Amino acid sequence: MRDYPDAIMMFAAGFGTRMKHLTQNQPKPMVPLAGRPLVDHALDLAHAVSPARIVANLHYLPDQLKAHLQAQGVETILETPQILDTGGGLRNALPLLGEGPVFTMNSDAIWAGPNPLKMLHAAWNPRQMDALLMTVPLENTLGHSGKGDFTLSADGQLQRGPGQVYGGVQIIKTDLLAEIEADVFSLNLLWDMMLRRETVFGLPYTGRWCDVGHPGGIALAEGLLAGTHV
């Protein structure tokens, strides 16, 4: 089994309900941002690490997104009749992703700075880690209203708490997914298992990050890309 990720799971199946009118007739990854579909900004980062495969899950209004992704070499998997959430979606895609650790990434964030996937790959230690999450210090976030998801210890271990926001990109081992009985479940369930083993680590992002999961995030992200946010 490989020790380093060569596949990327891109989560693209959500309903995009926080985007309101913008997702009435299109899935959230196809919402325009700076003249391009939102998902293309994530794909730029993904293609830059030359993965063996990129897999995206689909559910809500899938046809347009499927055509758009497959034209860019992305394999797609339709979740039907129900959406499986992030953990269930990852497990459902394992036949396409293969064995060993994988990258996972959300498609509703904009990164201004180093490629987070390259940063994670350089810091990944398969002997010590079950998961390595790209976290963003609160002061480096835009469009995020929470207080953070994790605290970061001096040695890089994560625990639940305020301060560091999960940016939606990680490297994670998938073998523990076989121990979860539910069909529909969040990655939080898998993280909780790993947190008990003290094998979840964080890597603070050194650039800026914008949450584009809500309509106001569009203008913030476009400003970030245009260099108007310092």
Side-chain angles (χ1 to χ4, degrees), residues 13-174:
F15 293 100
T17 50
R18 287 197 299 154
M19 296 296 270
K20 301 178 181 178
H21 63 283
L22 295 176
T23 50
Q24 285 182 350
N25 300 304
Q26 62 186 349
K28 181 169 64 172
M30 293 301 295
V31 170
L33 190 148
R36 307 170 64 204
L38 178 57
V39 70
D40 282 6
H41 298 276
L43 285 174
D44 287 347
L45 300 174
H47 287 305
V49 298
S50 302
R53 66 196 69 81
I54 304 172
V55 179
N57 61 345
L58 312 175
H59 179 78
Y60 176 65
L61 300 176
D63 293 344
Q64 179 186 6
L65 183 55
K66 178 180 179 180
H68 182 78
L69 292 173
Q70 289 185 344
Q72 300 188 62
V74 179
E75 299 179 70
T76 61
I77 183 167
L78 181 64
E79 296 180 6
T80 184
Q82 63 181 345
I83 195 170
L84 299 174
D85 207 340
T86 49
L90 176 59
R91 186 170 63 190
N92 188 53
L94 288 182
L96 295 177
L97 293 166
E99 296 184 347
V102 299
F103 287 104
T104 78
M105 67 185 310
N106 299 343
S107 56
D108 60 354
I110 291 295
W111 303 79
N115 186 320
L117 286 84
K118 289 184 177 180
M119 290 180 64
L120 288 171
H121 192 277
W124 174 247
N125 182 347
R127 293 172 301 280
Q128 184 183 32
M129 302 171 177
D130 281 332
L132 177 61
L133 282 59
M134 182 59 70
T135 63
V136 187
L138 273 173
E139 61 270 20
N140 290 347
T141 68
L142 286 172
H144 183 78
S145 58
K147 296 182 179 179
D149 308 298
F150 296 99
T151 60
L152 185 69
S153 70
D155 67 354
Q157 282 196 36
L158 293 181
Q159 293 294 332
R160 300 283 186 183
Q164 297 281 329
V165 177
Y166 174 54
V169 178
Q170 67 173 335
I171 296 174
I172 191 165
K173 295 179 180 177
T174 61

